[in-house]
Amino acid sequence: MDKPPVKMMDPTLAEMGSHLSDAMKILESGKLESEQGKERRKLSWKDIPGPLQGDGQDVVSILQLVQNLMHGDDDKQGHRRMQYVGEQGHMALLGHSLAAYISVLERERLRKLTTRILSDTTLWLCRLFRYENGSAYYHEDDREGLVKVCRLAINTHYEDYATEGFTLLSSKHPVIYQSAACRPGLGQHLCSQLGLSMSSLCIVPCNTMFGSLHQMDVALLDKLIKDDSESGKLPLLLIANAGTPGAGHTDKLSRLKELCVQYNMWLHVEGVNLATLVLGQVSSTVTAATKCDSMTLTPGPWLGLPAVPAVTLYRHEDPALSLTAGLTSSQPVEKLRALPLWLSLQYLGHDGILQRIKHASQLSLQLLEHLKTLASIKTSDILDSEVSLIEALRMVEDELNSPVVVFRFSQDNSAPSSGGSVEGYLAGERDILDALNRWLGEQLAQQVPLSGVDVVELEDEGTCVRFSPLMTAAALGTQENDVAALVEKLGEMIPVLSCTLCFRQDFKDEVLQQASLSYIEDQSWPGLGGVRYEPRTTDLDEDKRQHWVEKINSDLLKKLMELDTDLYFSDGPEFCEEKNCIFIGMATEDLDVAELVETIVSIGRDIEESGKLFENMMEVVRRGIQEAEQQLQKANEEKLMEEGVLRQIPLVGSVLNWFSPVQASVKGKTFNLAEGCLDSTEPVYSIKAQMNKEASLDSPKSVTKRFPGQKLFRRHGAGSDSVSDTSSVSQLEESFRETAPVQASDAEEAEVPKEHHVHIVEETALSDQRVPDGQETECVNTLR
């Protein structure tokens, strides 16, 4: 059998593929620039930008510069790729290089090539997503396709629009209908691009009685369309969702299509659930999207293809109107937008595309099954009203087939954990739960980054955690073990959330019982809450008091952060209205709230007293210095009177002192910080200083007893049958209590020997004595 002839590849194409491979290796290697390159670049900066000097830069140097700009300082922390780029991603990147190369071909050859690429890609997409007899428009901005489709609908309904322009719209005002669950800003962008007023946009509310809370209310939409038609307006276009941006729910597309046919409206569908159309088994709600007039697809994130365009599939019989609306172009270069997608789809094949969409759907199903077993996790809305069996089955079908999983922590108030209470907690519970769920989503995204979870704000449910693998799994390379790790971390955080939710009220009650603390009510803080230490000083003006409060709470926060505890202390959220506060983070089950509050009060009181002592000492020292200056001046005057004027003359004074020396007594002085005055020194004060030092060593401060390894603010044996710290004592202490049954206040005095007791009395008796001149250094500890 003869071998097929080997075709020679274009050398330019081969070189382009080689350069792309080398460039990707350099950009992904994370290697630092050589020292020679840095030195050469440093010396080249003169009058013009350095890279433009001389003969230019080589390819490696330019790519190295790009690599440095991409990663910045990440090399110091270890290189991490922002997105997983597989072989299919390299094909998409190669498509952009090929598009630039193909654009230089001669016009006729370029036209044939672009027509082939465009027709192949359009046919493949229509077959993959079950959209028969459709055309395709490729665009970079995923909203641009909707703008062109809306312009096509305007040209279809207004026959003379191409010649008359916007004057036709004033006679019969067009109306665009959009679900309230659509992505924010879509309708505004559409009106601004088309030159329509905001009155042309009609927001349709979602269901309030039946079905999902994120589905468009079909009955209300019907009423709105009737009212607009009767008032002389033209219902133009309806934007529906096959997977809302927030919760991933799908509108009732079959019923919406019937309304659009009835009122001659254009139906446009978009959403992440459209990706499931490539699967063998698709829910009936999503399958109805194949009957719409147009749909926007985003295969880039679905398949993990970087920099590929979005695609809008549409059906229309008049190619001239499509050309007028901008959906088709006669420029061959614009048709090359489909080239990266054309290459990538061929590289993946049908099995590769199917495998990626199916893998993302299985990840969602895996997470949903695990979430059903976790307590305090809510995955679907609990309806208060009664619904029919068929409607309930449809809701279950939508939830199980949606590749978007949205969950939220919501603890049952009737079953608080041990050690806490939820009485009086219903006020503001929604905001507090939102804060806790925001913290939960941020922690899960940080600890399990490959899961791709994020935080989403829903109008009815509040803050939730969203898992949308179709948008993230292909880029991040999410696998089943990542979902398992996500569930494991979630199981570890649920007890923390429950305990924090229950201990918030206990913490508030403990703080309100302290006169020196004020409770800070901030329901957006994910933790126990906030406090402020209020000093007891009342003789300061408002400015000085605010400065004093700021200093005390700042020092208090530093002290608390230095403690050996698992609690998180902070100065509060970035945009917190309250200032000079201390916020406490999440709590665990064994937290001793009373001890925590007492510790805050104790440390704050110590800081306040030390601050007062410092202020008083400054005033005492100032007065003492003034008094010392006066006494020194007085001593100099007395010396002058005693020695005479002649002795002050340098030459005469020396002669007089030699013949008749002056016997002047040296008077030692000491400065008493406690009284703020100057006193004479006496030798006996050294004895007192020595005895005070011994007394201070004999009476150490008491330290709270803790078990080895036990951190602060922990209740030993919380949630178990073990005894508390206060009831566990040693056998020596028990025997001592049996032989000497004295009260705690008398026990310490009873243990002191008689000689030592007399020694302390003698020490107290000498408390008023002073240190003699020259021995002040021996009494430093006493002065302090």
Side-chain angles (χ1 to χ4, degrees):
M1 182 176 179
D2 296 336
K3 296 183 179 180
V6 179
K7 296 182 179 180
M8 297 299 295
M9 180 182 292
D10 187 345
T12 306
L13 293 179
E15 185 179 0
M16 184 183 303
S18 176
H19 285 172
L20 177 64
S21 179
D22 295 339
M24 293 300 298
K25 290 180 181 179
I26 294 176
L27 294 178
E28 295 178 0
S29 64
K31 294 181 180 180
L32 297 177
E33 187 178 0
S34 62
E35 295 296 333
Q36 294 82 0
K38 290 182 179 180
E39 187 66 24
R40 181 173 60 87
R41 183 162 51 87
K42 184 188 302 182
L43 297 176
S44 64
W45 285 89
K46 294 181 181 178
D47 297 331
I48 62 175
L52 301 184
Q53 290 184 358
D55 297 332
Q57 308 293 321
D58 54 16
V59 176
V60 177
S61 300
I62 296 174
L63 292 179
Q64 184 67 58
L65 175 61
V66 175
Q67 190 268 339
N68 294 335
L69 295 176
M70 287 170 55
H71 302 291
D73 297 333
D74 290 346
D75 296 312
K76 300 178 181 179
Q77 305 173 357
H79 176 65
R80 298 185 299 271
R81 191 189 303 181
M82 294 179 295
Q83 177 176 326
Y84 174 75
V85 181
E87 291 295 331
Q88 74 278 5
H90 289 186
M91 293 300 297
L93 299 177
L94 178 61
H96 291 277
S97 300
L98 286 176
Y101 173 66
I102 293 174
S103 64
V104 301
L105 296 177
E106 59 183 65
R107 187 173 183 83
E108 184 62 24
R109 184 175 298 181
L110 176 62
R111 184 187 62 80
K112 293 181 180 180
L113 179 58
T114 54
T115 302
R116 171 67 183 275
I117 293 173
L118 190 63
S119 60
D120 286 351
T121 310
T122 301
L123 177 62
W124 297 340
L125 292 174
C126 289
R127 292 289 178 85
L128 285 171
F129 293 95
R130 308 183 184 189
Y131 198 81
E132 299 297 333
N133 301 322
S135 302
Y137 172 65
Y138 303 89
H139 45 95
E140 302 297 333
D141 189 346
D142 56 0
R143 302 171 298 179
E144 186 64 24
L146 178 57
V147 174
K148 298 298 179 63
V149 162
C150 192
R151 185 172 286 118
L152 175 62
I154 293 176
N155 281 275
T156 303
H157 285 82
Y158 299 91
E159 297 180 358
D160 298 331
Y161 181 78
T163 56
E164 299 295 334
F166 290 96
T167 57
L168 293 176
L169 304 183
S170 59
S171 59
K172 203 169 185 179
H173 202 60
V175 181
I176 301 173
Y177 301 90
Q178 170 190 326
S179 171
C182 284
R183 48 178 166 169
L186 179 62
Q188 290 80 354
H189 175 77
L190 188 60
C191 291
S192 64
Q193 294 297 314
L194 297 173
L196 300 177
S197 62
M198 292 303 298
S199 60
S200 299
L201 181 64
C202 179
I203 305 297
V204 183
C206 294
N207 288 342
T208 56
M209 295 183 62
F210 302 103
S212 167
L213 295 178
H214 303 277
Q215 287 181 339
M216 190 185 304
D217 193 334
V218 180
L220 181 57
L221 173 63
D222 190 5
K223 182 179 182 302
L224 292 173
I225 295 176
K226 287 181 179 179
D227 295 342
D228 291 336
S229 299
E230 293 174 356
S231 62
K233 297 181 180 180
L234 176 65
L236 182 67
L237 181 138
L238 172 64
I239 306 173
N241 291 299
T244 56
H249 292 196
T250 302
D251 291 325
K252 301 172 183 178
L253 300 179
S254 298
R255 182 71 179 110
L256 295 178
K257 179 58 180 177
E258 295 175 0
L259 282 179
C260 291
V261 173
Q262 179 182 352
Y263 293 102
N264 193 22
M265 295 174 55
W266 187 285
L267 176 60
H268 179 83
V269 181
E270 62 177 23
V272 67
N273 291 354
L274 293 175
T276 59
L277 289 172
V278 304
L279 301 177
Q281 297 179 353
V282 189
S283 64
S284 58
T285 55
V286 180
T287 306
T290 58
K291 305 301 180 183
C292 65
D293 297 297
S294 62
M295 65 169 65
T296 297
L297 310 174
T298 55
W302 298 348
L303 304 177
L305 305 176
V308 298
V311 185
T312 296
L313 302 179
Y314 65 97
R315 294 190 186 98
H316 200 267
E317 299 177 355
D318 192 350
L321 291 181
S322 299
L323 180 62
T324 303
L327 289 169
T328 59
S329 175
S330 59
Q331 299 296 326
V333 178
E334 294 188 10
K335 298 180 181 179
L336 289 175
R337 292 178 181 173
L339 181 57
L341 194 57
W342 184 75
L343 294 174
S344 301
L345 292 178
Q346 291 184 83
Y347 183 84
L348 290 173
H350 179 264
D351 293 341
I353 297 172
L354 185 65
Q355 189 272 335
R356 279 162 176 77
I357 303 298
K358 187 177 181 180
H359 174 67
S361 302
Q362 290 176 347
L363 291 178
S364 298
L365 185 60
Q366 176 188 356
L367 178 61
L368 187 61
E369 291 176 352
H370 284 89
L371 293 179
K372 295 293 186 181
T373 63
L374 294 178
S376 303
I377 293 297
K378 178 180 176 183
T379 58
S380 60
D381 301 330
I382 301 176
L383 301 181
D384 297 330
S385 58
E386 296 182 359
V387 297
S388 62
L389 178 60
I390 297 178
E391 192 69 31
L393 292 176
R394 287 179 180 175
M395 292 175 57
V396 174
E397 181 188 12
D398 293 343
E399 182 182 4
L400 294 179
N401 287 277
S402 176
V404 181
V405 179
V406 176
F407 58 93
R408 172 181 171 87
F409 168 78
S410 180
Q411 178 170 296
D412 185 8
N413 291 339
S414 61
S417 62
S418 60
S421 63
V422 293
E423 297 179 358
Y425 186 72
L426 295 178
E429 181 181 4
R430 166 71 179 267
D431 295 335
I432 297 174
L433 286 176
D434 286 347
L436 295 179
N437 280 279
R438 191 177 300 108
W439 175 87
L440 174 63
E442 293 172 354
Q443 291 296 316
L444 291 176
Q446 180 181 358
Q447 299 187 23
V448 193
L450 294 182
S451 64
V453 296
D454 61 347
V455 179
V456 60
E457 301 287 344
L458 301 180
E459 182 178 358
D460 296 294
E461 293 86 349
T463 305
C464 301
V465 183
R466 178 177 57 188
F467 176 68
S468 182
L470 265 176
M471 301 299 295
T472 59
L476 298 176
T478 308
Q479 301 297 328
E480 295 181 356
N481 56 344
D482 298 318
V483 177
L486 179 67
V487 175
E488 181 181 358
K489 290 296 181 181
L490 183 60
E492 296 174 358
M493 294 179 183
I494 289 177
V496 177
L497 293 168
S498 301
C499 294
T500 302
L501 186 62
C502 295
F503 281 131
R504 280 183 69 105
Q505 185 63 36
D506 296 342
F507 178 75
K508 180 178 180 180
D509 296 339
E510 290 289 341
V511 170
L512 293 178
Q513 293 177 4
Q514 301 291 336
S516 57
L517 295 181
S518 58
Y519 181 77
I520 306 302
E521 188 71 32
D522 190 348
Q523 297 175 351
S524 64
W525 172 254
L528 290 178
V531 296
R532 180 191 295 114
Y533 185 86
E534 303 289 349
R536 292 165 291 181
T537 304
T538 58
D539 55 348
L540 299 177
D541 56 17
E542 186 63 25
D543 293 339
K544 292 184 178 180
R545 177 176 175 80
Q546 290 295 333
H547 177 73
W548 185 230
V549 170
E550 179 181 358
K551 184 179 184 306
I552 291 180
N553 285 274
S554 177
D555 295 343
L556 177 58
L557 176 60
K558 294 179 181 178
K559 295 283 186 181
L560 292 174
M561 294 174 66
E562 294 173 356
L563 297 178
D564 184 17
T565 175
D566 292 333
L567 289 176
Y568 172 71
F569 299 96
S570 171
D571 54 358
E574 182 179 359
F575 302 102
C576 180
E577 296 180 358
E578 298 287 344
K579 302 299 181 182
N580 306 324
C581 306
I582 299 173
F583 285 84
I584 297 92
M586 308 298 286
T588 53
E589 184 180 4
D590 56 354
L591 175 65
D592 192 337
V593 180
E595 181 185 356
L596 170 63
V597 176
E598 291 176 359
T599 303
I600 295 175
V601 175
S602 176
I603 297 178
R605 185 182 298 115
D606 292 343
I607 295 175
E608 181 182 8
E609 292 178 353
S610 61
K612 288 182 178 179
L613 177 61
F614 180 75
E615 294 291 338
N616 294 336
M617 184 178 298
M618 290 180 59
E619 183 64 22
V620 167
V621 170
R622 186 183 64 82
R623 292 199 306 263
I625 292 175
Q626 293 177 355
E627 182 181 354
E629 291 177 350
Q630 295 176 0
Q631 293 192 12
L632 287 175
Q633 183 178 2
K634 184 179 180 180
N636 290 332
E637 294 177 354
E638 293 178 353
K639 180 180 179 182
L640 179 62
M641 296 299 296
E642 180 180 357
E643 296 180 356
V645 178
L646 293 178
R647 292 185 182 272
Q648 307 306 318
I649 301 174
L651 184 59
V652 178
S654 300
V655 175
L656 290 178
N657 290 332
W658 184 75
F659 283 105
S660 176
V662 178
Q663 301 295 331
S665 62
V666 179
K667 299 179 180 180
K669 297 290 183 180
T670 181
F671 183 67
N672 187 359
L673 290 177
E675 300 180 2
C677 59
L678 289 172
D679 296 330
S680 61
T681 58
E682 297 182 6
V684 293
Y685 196 81
S686 60
I687 302 175
K688 180 209 169 187
Q690 182 178 1
M691 296 176 65
N692 281 342
K693 183 176 181 181
E694 295 176 357
S696 63
L697 295 176
D698 293 338
S699 57
K701 295 183 179 179
S702 61
V703 181
T704 304
K705 294 183 179 180
R706 295 195 171 274
F707 286 82
Q710 182 182 0
K711 296 187 177 182
L712 293 175
F713 317 133
R714 293 293 184 88
R715 293 181 289 108
H716 177 67
S720 62
D721 298 331
S722 60
V723 295
S724 61
D725 298 349
T726 56
S727 61
S728 58
V729 293
S730 62
Q731 297 180 357
L732 180 61
E733 292 174 336
E734 288 290 342
S735 60
F736 177 77
R737 291 182 181 179
E738 292 177 359
T739 56
V742 294
Q743 297 182 356
S745 59
D746 300 332
E748 297 180 359
E749 185 178 356
E751 293 176 0
V752 179
K754 291 184 179 181
E755 292 96 5
H756 186 64
H757 184 68
V758 173
H759 178 69
I760 295 177
V761 172
E762 293 175 356
E763 175 184 342
T764 307
L766 297 175
S767 61
D768 294 332
Q769 299 180 9
R770 299 292 181 264
V771 177
D773 196 20
Q775 298 184 3
E776 290 87 355
T777 57
E778 299 180 3
C779 58
V780 176
N781 294 329
T782 304
L783 291 178
R784 291 180 180 174

